[in-house]
Amino acid sequence: GRLAFHRTTSDIFFSSLEPDTKFDLIFLDGLHEFKQTYRDLVNAFKHLSKNGVCLIDDTVPFDAIAALPSHKDSIRESRKSGLGSPRPWMGDVYKVIYMIHTFHPELDYATYVETGQHHQTLVWRKNRASQVNMDIQHSIDSTTTLTYESIFKNGIPEWFNPMSQSDINNIIVKSLIN
């Protein structure tokens, strides 16, 4: 395989790809905002091989300050709280997992959770032939109103499908060889 780096926005990168360009693994770790990360996920599945997987970074924020959609707001609130700065900022990427769970029955996923780590969610097609439903704009609009507190009030919800690193590694290997 080849490795190439592209210094551009994800929107420009995905729009520059030929429709038949496919990848086995796509890692999403860009702008930590829900709408952008969700758009990146939708675009990624247009270019993901049938056995491919998508890995989304920072899907479980450390706290409400790390979950603020604006990096500037997160820094400001971090300083006001006395917790120090800079602190990790994850934004509201966690809402993408809500979207997958609620509006994408064609996808399966698992979230790697380990104390003190940046949590990541692995996403793949349940059925290799399934198409990803892209026509759900109304769902995006309703999801923007979710808050960190409403989702994480009792810890990481079970519907995040938390798994160990070894379980997720097994999923990746099985996906790529089947």
Side-chain angles (χ1 to χ4, degrees):
R2 318 175 292 159
L3 179 64
F5 292 93
H6 302 269
R7 199 173 173 98
T8 187
T9 67
S10 53
D11 289 332
I12 292 171
F13 173 76
F14 282 119
S15 68
S16 72
L17 295 174
E18 294 295 324
D20 61 342
T21 301
K22 301 294 180 192
F23 301 96
D24 293 325
L25 171 66
I26 296 177
F27 181 55
L28 300 179
D29 182 26
L31 187 61
H32 292 207
E33 295 174 356
F34 158 62
K35 286 183 179 181
Q36 180 64 55
T37 305
Y38 183 71
R39 187 167 57 246
D40 288 346
L41 179 70
V42 168
N43 285 327
F45 269 93
K46 292 176 186 175
H47 296 284
L48 201 60
S49 68
K50 294 295 181 193
N51 292 341
V53 295
C54 189
L55 186 62
I56 307 169
D57 196 34
D58 293 328
T59 55
V60 180
F62 292 143
D63 57 28
I65 294 172
L68 290 170
S70 161
H71 190 209
K72 288 180 182 178
D73 291 346
S74 181
I75 291 171
R76 185 182 64 249
E77 291 302 315
S78 179
R79 287 182 179 144
K80 282 181 11 184
S81 73
L83 295 173
S85 182
R87 295 182 62 238
W89 173 63
M90 285 96 175
D92 57 353
V93 175
Y94 63 90
K95 294 176 184 178
V96 174
I97 310 313
Y98 175 83
M99 287 289 293
I100 295 167
H101 173 73
T102 307
F103 302 107
H104 287 285
E106 72 279 12
L107 298 177
D108 208 348
Y109 62 97
T111 302
Y112 166 65
V113 293
E114 186 175 309
T115 304
Q117 298 296 316
H118 287 244
H119 307 298
Q120 300 174 325
T121 301
L122 188 69
V123 187
W124 64 95
R125 290 177 180 88
K126 281 185 181 176
N127 175 332
R128 301 293 181 222
S130 64
Q131 296 298 314
V132 178
N133 179 9
M134 312 285 185
D135 186 28
I136 55 174
Q137 182 63 42
H138 65 285
S139 306
I140 293 171
D141 296 340
S142 67
T143 302
T144 58
T145 61
L146 294 174
T147 64
Y148 172 85
E149 291 80 6
S150 68
I151 291 182
F152 297 103
K153 64 182 169 223
N154 297 316
I156 300 171
E158 278 302 309
W159 54 264
F160 264 69
N161 296 331
M163 292 189 181
S164 70
Q165 183 66 48
S166 62
D167 289 339
I168 289 181
N169 288 345
N170 290 336
I171 289 169
I172 293 171
V173 169
K174 286 179 186 175
S175 176
L176 294 176
I177 62 174
N178 287 332

